[in-house]
């Protein structure tokens, strides 16, 4: 349960091997990583902390940010302009948490009621749902767009989506049974 970091030519640069442990003493698996400024931020399943490492000092751990109420982080994106992370939480009514890496302050940014994947472009947070893509402004928290999925996509599970250019999106979808 380690996070391995690689450069452009495939060679191991560093290993971040300080995962927290679950209630049984086993290492928690990594569920999200994000580069934010000069920091590597890591979240783990079944853990309420964000670990922050210094990218310029051999990935030395700088701090743990405890997010009270978060229990099963599932995906994470970050914004360097605001120094904020957005973390989806699978267990807690599928909240999306906002975490300020500089101050350690966190809050529930959005309450969804379902599991979601995240992507971020500038100040636009894209959130997946079963039948649409939802776009939120990261400053106000207001939903700015609801992009309906095609009927064909609605028959499948949406695994992830990203915004490429304004009003252009790539959506990964399929069936869980392998078909």
């Amino acid at each position: 349960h380690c996070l391995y970091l690689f450069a452009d030519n495939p060679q191991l640069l560093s290993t971040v091997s300080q995962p927290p442990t679950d209630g049984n003493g086993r290492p928690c698996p990594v569920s999200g990583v994000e580069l934010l400024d000069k920091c590597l931020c890591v979240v783990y399943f079944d853990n309420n902390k964000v670990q922050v490492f210094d990218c310029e000092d051999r990935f030395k751990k700088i701090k743990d940010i405890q997010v009270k109420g978060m229990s099963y982080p599932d995906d994470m994106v970050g914004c360097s302009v605001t120094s904020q992370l957005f973390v989806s939480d699978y267990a807690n009514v599928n909240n999306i948490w906002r975490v300020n890496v500089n101050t350690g302050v966190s809050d529930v940014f959005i309450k969804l009621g379902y599991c979601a994947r995240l992507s971020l472009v500038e100040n636009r947070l894209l959130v997946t749902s079963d039948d649409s893509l939802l776009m939120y402004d990261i400053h106000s928290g207001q939903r700015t767009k609801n992009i309906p999925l095609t009927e064909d996509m609605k028959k499948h599970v949406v695994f992830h989506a990203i915004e490429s250019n304004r009003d252009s999106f790539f959506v990964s979808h399929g069936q869980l049974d392998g078909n």
Side-chain angles (χ1 to χ4, degrees):
H1 300 285
C2 298
L3 177 64
Y4 299 100
L5 307 171
F6 290 91
D8 288 337
N9 73 7
Q11 68 184 68
L12 181 63
L13 292 177
S14 182
T15 302
V16 177
S17 58
Q18 303 172 27
T21 56
D22 65 15
N24 296 317
R26 294 181 301 236
C28 297
V30 171
S31 59
V33 295
E34 183 67 36
L35 284 173
L36 198 60
D37 299 321
K38 297 173 184 172
C39 297
L40 174 69
C41 302
V42 183
V43 291
Y44 302 85
F45 285 119
D46 201 21
N47 192 275
N48 71 344
K49 293 180 182 149
V50 177
Q51 288 187 334
V52 183
F53 300 89
D54 187 341
C55 291
E56 294 185 332
D57 189 8
R58 303 179 56 86
F59 299 97
K60 177 182 169 188
K61 185 158 84 167
I62 300 170
K63 61 184 166 182
D64 287 336
I65 300 172
Q66 184 172 5
V67 181
K68 291 183 180 178
M70 182 173 76
S71 58
Y72 213 85
D74 191 43
D75 195 12
M76 179 172 62
V77 295
C79 176
S80 292
V81 174
T82 62
S83 298
Q84 292 178 330
L85 298 168
F86 297 89
V87 184
S88 63
D89 186 353
Y90 184 78
N92 264 327
V93 193
N94 307 112
N95 292 333
I96 296 176
W97 296 88
R98 175 174 48 194
V99 180
N100 187 303
V101 174
N102 293 336
T103 65
V105 172
S106 60
D107 64 349
V108 174
F109 182 65
I110 302 168
K111 289 186 178 190
L112 292 174
Y114 58 85
C115 184
R117 294 290 182 207
L118 311 173
S119 69
L120 184 72
V121 174
E122 295 175 1
N123 66 331
R124 299 180 304 277
L125 178 66
L126 188 65
V127 178
T128 62
S129 78
D130 291 336
D131 61 357
S132 63
L133 303 178
L134 307 173
M135 189 173 289
Y136 292 87
D137 179 273
I138 64 167
H139 301 292
S140 68
Q142 296 297 312
R143 186 168 61 190
T144 57
K145 284 190 181 183
N146 182 348
I147 302 118
L149 298 176
T150 65
E151 290 303 316
D152 185 51
M153 284 186 199
K154 290 179 188 178
K155 295 176 188 174
H156 300 99
V157 176
V158 175
F159 295 114
H160 205 55
I162 60 170
E163 180 182 7
S164 60
N165 296 325
R166 287 204 179 264
D167 295 323
S168 177
F169 303 91
F170 292 99
V171 180
S172 170
H173 63 97
Q175 295 177 324
L176 293 177
D177 64 4
N179 292 327

